[in-house]
Amino acid sequence: MRASYLGIELSSPVVVASSPYTASRANIERCVRHGAGAVVLKSIFEEQIFRHATALERNAPPVGMGDSGEYLERYLDDAYRAEYLRLVSEARATDIPVIASINCLSGSDRWVEYAVDIQGAGASALELNLFLLATDHHHTAEELEIIYGNTVAAVVSAVTIPVSVKLPMRLTNFLSLADRLLGAGARGVVLFNRFFEPDIDIERLCFVPSDPFSTPSELRNVLRPTALCSTALPQLDIAVSTGVHDGAAAIKALLCGASVVQLCTAIHRMGYRVIENIHDFIEGWADRHGFDSLAVFRGCMNFGNTGDDNYQRIQYMKYFPHGVE
């Protein structure tokens, strides 16, 4: 079943998310063999470059070079960028739409620099992995959203390929931000960014990584936003990227108005074959219900088409109407 995402025609609405499963040509070829409609390449992280440079500078013997840190940053940036552009070029050779992904620091000029280079390497589209963590209580939500919009506008003005934005889950009014991004030139949004959540070892008194993988139950955090966004801002294509572990979850996302679903944890749990399993499930389900294309049923259960107050109900009254004894 064919799909359209960011103006690109795909052979399937099942897309492999930015992950280790899209970090090499060999893995991308596995995605292709199992029927992925597109791949989002593993992000290039500007923060990783800075941390690598800092670690090297800290461990290097003193040589009297006061600007060694700046030199290492430039050197590593060139090396990381060249490697990433090589991956974009190699991925293009597999004849699958390639969506590159970048994650830069707030206010960095590299958002534009990377975007221009990535387009030159042949990417079909670009996904901005953009998240600003509010740590200053003086910053308002509006101020942070302006930074999102300005970053997207700068990238869009520098490239001709379509741009989508991977949004964080914790926003006051994500529809307002999505509208701002649309005005800045974004063609789509990805719901949602799965960022690092620290945990604490209470015996060793240190930070430890938490589980980075999603669970099927997390889909419930995405269906309502997808249904609302596809109604309020139909100009934006939506990729659901959290909680899609099987074909039923993919169908739910598409019914709410998603253009595509993105897989990561499902591949980790079940292997690349889950890509074709989900695609085959979508095909079989559509055939059973008499739908001959995705366009016929996509969004038919979004907020605009159903008017169901289930999308507006946010309290527990429905589940616990009476006191519990």
Side-chain angles (χ1 to χ4, degrees):
M1 181 164 287
R2 300 190 67 82
S4 177
Y5 180 58
L6 305 178
I8 306 167
E9 292 301 312
L10 310 183
S11 61
S12 169
V14 184
V15 173
V16 181
S18 175
S19 64
Y21 309 109
T22 60
S24 68
R25 176 168 181 167
N27 284 351
I28 292 167
E29 288 174 343
R30 293 185 181 97
C31 297
V32 173
R33 287 199 299 272
H34 288 279
V39 293
V40 184
L41 300 184
K42 183 171 175 59
S43 291
I44 180 171
F45 282 84
E46 184 183 20
E47 183 182 27
Q48 182 179 3
I49 296 169
F50 286 164
R51 289 190 175 187
H52 190 178
T54 299
L56 289 175
E57 183 181 25
R58 185 184 302 118
N59 294 324
V63 293
M65 293 178 59
D67 60 350
S68 60
E70 182 179 348
Y71 169 80
L72 285 169
E73 286 177 11
R74 288 200 307 268
Y75 174 81
L76 289 172
D77 180 61
D78 289 344
Y80 274 76
R81 192 182 315 200
E83 182 179 356
Y84 195 79
L85 296 178
R86 189 179 309 112
L87 176 62
V88 174
S89 180
E90 290 178 351
R92 285 292 294 164
T94 64
D95 293 326
I96 190 173
V98 173
I99 303 170
S101 175
I102 58 177
N103 187 320
C104 298
L105 302 176
S106 174
S108 171
D109 293 336
R110 287 187 172 91
W111 285 109
V112 171
E113 294 175 12
Y114 288 172
V116 170
D117 288 347
I118 283 168
Q119 175 174 278
S124 305
L126 180 59
E127 183 176 290
L128 304 184
N129 193 334
L130 182 58
F131 173 60
L132 304 175
L133 179 64
T135 58
D136 184 344
H137 67 281
H138 293 105
H139 283 169
T140 66
E142 174 74 8
E143 290 171 334
L144 294 175
E145 290 178 8
I146 287 172
I147 297 174
Y148 279 92
N150 290 344
T151 300
V152 173
V155 172
V156 169
S157 66
V159 298
T160 57
I161 56 176
V163 174
S164 66
V165 184
K166 198 167 189 178
L167 291 175
M169 191 174 297
R170 296 160 190 165
L171 294 166
T172 303
N173 184 350
F174 93 98
L175 289 177
S176 175
L177 177 56
D179 187 43
R180 183 188 296 274
L181 300 179
L182 176 63
R187 295 284 298 276
V189 290
V190 183
L191 307 178
F192 284 109
N193 196 343
R194 190 171 188 81
F195 42 82
F196 174 76
E197 298 280 12
D199 198 357
I200 295 175
D201 184 320
I202 64 172
E203 299 303 328
R204 294 186 295 154
L205 299 182
C206 65
F207 289 107
V208 293
S210 58
D211 188 351
F213 299 107
S214 72
T215 63
S217 65
E218 292 179 54
L219 182 69
R220 68 173 185 261
N221 296 322
V222 192
L223 293 183
R224 178 189 280 120
T226 300
L228 294 174
C229 190
S230 65
T231 299
L233 300 167
Q235 309 95 315
L236 285 173
D237 286 347
I238 301 170
V240 166
S241 184
T242 299
V244 179
H245 287 240
D246 57 26
I251 291 293
K252 292 175 185 179
L254 297 170
L255 287 171
C256 285
S259 297
V260 297
V261 295
Q262 293 188 4
L263 308 184
C264 175
T265 298
I267 298 175
H268 177 76
R269 305 287 191 210
M270 292 168 273
Y272 290 91
R273 67 183 181 279
V274 74
I275 300 170
E276 57 190 301
N277 290 346
I278 291 177
H279 178 80
D280 290 346
F281 185 97
I282 295 171
E283 292 271 9
W285 177 89
D287 186 61
R288 289 200 315 274
H289 289 269
F291 299 130
D292 60 3
S293 72
L294 191 154
V296 176
F297 69 87
R298 187 179 72 82
C300 73
M301 293 192 68
N302 68 9
F303 182 65
N305 286 324
T306 63
D308 196 322
D309 72 348
N310 281 307
Y311 285 131
Q312 299 186 71
R313 184 188 299 274
I314 59 174
Q315 299 298 335
Y316 279 99
M317 289 176 60
K318 181 176 180 180
Y319 302 101
F320 304 110
H322 306 294
V324 178
E325 296 181 0

